[in-house]
Amino acid sequence: MATARIVHGMSPFSRFLHLRLHLHLRRRTLTSAVRPYFAATSPPSTAVIYDQHGSPDVVTRVTELPPVEIKDNDVCVRMLAAPINPSDINRIEGVYPVRPPIPAVGGYEGVGEVHTIGSAVKGLSPGDWVIPSPPSSGTWQTYVVKEQTVWQKVDKSTPMEYAATIIVNPLTALRMLEDFVALKSGDTIVQNGATSIVGQCVIQLARLRGIHSINIIRDRAGSDEAKENLKQLGADEVYTESQLDVKNVRGLLGNIPEPILGFNCVGGNAASLILKFLKQGGTMVTYGGMSKKPITVSTSSFIFKASLSIILSCSSCEVALWLEMAPFDDFHTALEKAMGKRGRQPKQVLKF
């Protein structure tokens, strides 16, 4: 590094200028030697977060989150839409077995548009539509930054609300129909929770394969309308729980064969209604517990259906879903609808 050299005989003013020039050159040398690094970051994000477990309408709040660093393998996604699923509500309540540590951002699936990519990301570009696959927590916010391995590109011609809900519910229905019993045209399945999105998908996928469906719904206001809606989707029979309070439910089947496969997402007594219908040696798959009650199995089911299987499941055709797009700005109204506080409502999908 150069040192200042004062020449004898210089005037005080010349010496002053000489020292100023030396200090200026030294400052430039130091600045160029240590260049600051500015990492790419996401925009600030508006998010639904919860700091403790409890009733979602009490513990959630909408807040602003600071920008997040975008690393080499990261993708920053501007969320377009994300649903409010029953499992999302259960995570916030703290009763779902798999849940993120708190404080946490809500949401587990959705669709978004690539906003920014890290320097090492290949195969994705800004403007692409992506979904988290498998689902990943934290989708109830305007910007999400996660590694590229989290994101799966989807066709932008897909309706936004369908892309946002494709992973959790429709694929659950498909896997349950394919993974446990080798169903063929003419067979019958039975399910409770038939008005859920999974239930609606089961009905439609079964109909497309020539499989009969027996469907059980809760007793509540609007049940007649719900029955009609499910039959329009392709349900063979729809019963309320109270209608099945009879000794011989098989007498309700008419010419429909006894079900060989049942789907239970409710638990409690609703599970025993599935068993009432099942053929001897049938299989009941449990994929949810909306009642938060244990599965009730009668002694006679074990004795007289000796080969009964009870399975706990993790969870190119057109399927219609009963959805309602809700503005993200009106999150708490959508949440109340999703929690059933405003009567029977379509599945709520947040639109950002």
Side-chain angles (χ1 to χ4, degrees):
M1 182 181 296
T3 57
R5 180 170 177 270
I6 306 298
V7 180
H8 292 287
M10 295 176 67
S11 67
F13 182 72
S14 297
R15 290 180 182 180
F16 172 75
L17 291 177
H18 185 84
L19 287 171
R20 286 290 300 270
L21 178 60
H22 167 73
L23 291 173
H24 174 70
L25 292 173
R26 188 170 185 272
R27 189 179 298 115
R28 286 187 60 184
T29 301
L30 290 173
T31 301
S32 60
V34 185
R35 293 182 180 273
Y37 172 71
F38 296 100
T41 60
S42 71
S45 186
T46 304
V48 175
I49 71 168
Y50 53 101
D51 303 297
Q52 60 183 321
H53 292 124
S55 181
D57 56 337
V58 174
V59 301
T60 58
R61 57 190 174 90
V62 180
T63 190
E64 297 295 318
L65 299 180
V68 176
E69 180 183 350
I70 302 171
K71 298 177 183 177
D72 290 347
N73 291 305
D74 286 346
V75 177
C76 173
V77 173
R78 181 177 68 86
M79 294 304 295
L80 300 173
I84 303 177
N85 288 318
S87 56
D88 295 323
I89 292 172
N90 291 157
R91 282 186 181 87
I92 297 171
E93 291 171 333
V95 299
Y96 200 78
V98 180
R99 55 186 183 269
I102 54 176
V105 177
Y108 203 59
E109 68 171 334
V111 63
E113 182 179 79
V114 174
H115 179 269
T116 310
I117 59 174
S119 60
V121 172
K122 307 293 183 183
L124 289 178
S125 302
D128 288 342
W129 278 20
V130 291
I131 60 174
S133 178
S136 181
S137 61
T139 58
W140 291 354
Q141 59 179 317
T142 50
Y143 290 92
V144 179
V145 176
K146 292 182 183 289
E147 287 192 357
Q148 180 181 6
T149 54
V150 171
W151 303 107
Q152 174 68 44
K153 186 176 178 179
V154 296
D155 192 332
K156 294 178 73 170
S157 66
T158 307
M160 184 187 300
E161 62 272 27
Y162 279 42
T165 57
I166 189 63
I167 296 293
V168 172
N169 294 310
L171 292 187
T172 296
L174 179 64
R175 298 279 17 126
M176 290 195 303
L177 285 168
E178 293 189 347
D179 289 357
F180 301 100
V181 174
L183 295 169
K184 60 184 183 298
S185 180
D187 286 339
T188 305
I189 60 99
V190 59
Q191 66 170 342
N192 56 31
T195 58
S196 69
I197 294 296
V198 173
Q200 294 176 45
C201 291
V202 164
I203 291 169
Q204 295 173 82
L205 291 171
R207 175 180 57 82
L208 289 165
R209 299 170 182 213
I211 297 167
H212 302 289
S213 67
I214 308 299
N215 302 275
I216 304 168
I217 64 175
R218 289 182 294 170
D219 289 276
R220 60 182 179 184
S223 58
D224 288 339
E225 180 185 358
K227 287 181 181 181
E228 186 58 34
N229 290 338
L230 294 181
K231 287 187 175 182
Q232 289 180 4
L233 292 178
D236 290 87
E237 297 292 345
V238 185
Y239 301 105
T240 60
E241 293 178 359
S242 63
Q243 286 182 288
L244 301 180
D245 189 18
V246 295
K247 189 172 183 179
N248 182 20
V249 297
R250 293 184 187 84
L252 302 173
L253 292 177
N255 295 324
I256 300 175
E258 286 182 289
I260 61 174
L261 178 61
F263 301 138
N264 165 51
C265 70
V266 179
N269 290 331
S272 67
L273 297 178
I274 298 289
L275 298 175
K276 277 187 174 184
F277 275 108
L278 275 183
K279 185 178 182 179
Q280 184 174 358
T283 297
M284 182 175 78
V285 176
T286 289
Y287 67 98
M290 294 173 63
S291 70
K292 298 183 178 68
K293 295 179 181 178
I295 297 172
T296 303
V297 181
S298 66
T299 302
S300 62
S301 293
F302 279 118
I303 294 175
F304 298 107
K305 298 183 180 181
S307 57
L308 172 70
S309 299
I310 299 179
I311 300 172
L312 303 180
S313 168
C314 299
S315 334
S316 63
C317 50
E318 295 182 0
V319 175
L321 305 179
W322 193 37
L323 308 170
E324 180 179 55
M325 299 294 282
F328 185 51
D329 291 344
D330 201 13
F331 166 74
H332 280 95
T333 298
L335 180 62
E336 288 183 359
K337 290 182 178 181
M339 295 177 67
K341 294 194 170 186
R342 301 199 177 195
R344 184 170 178 268
Q345 298 285 339
K347 175 176 285 295
Q348 299 296 296
V349 180
L350 303 172
K351 185 176 181 180
F352 296 89

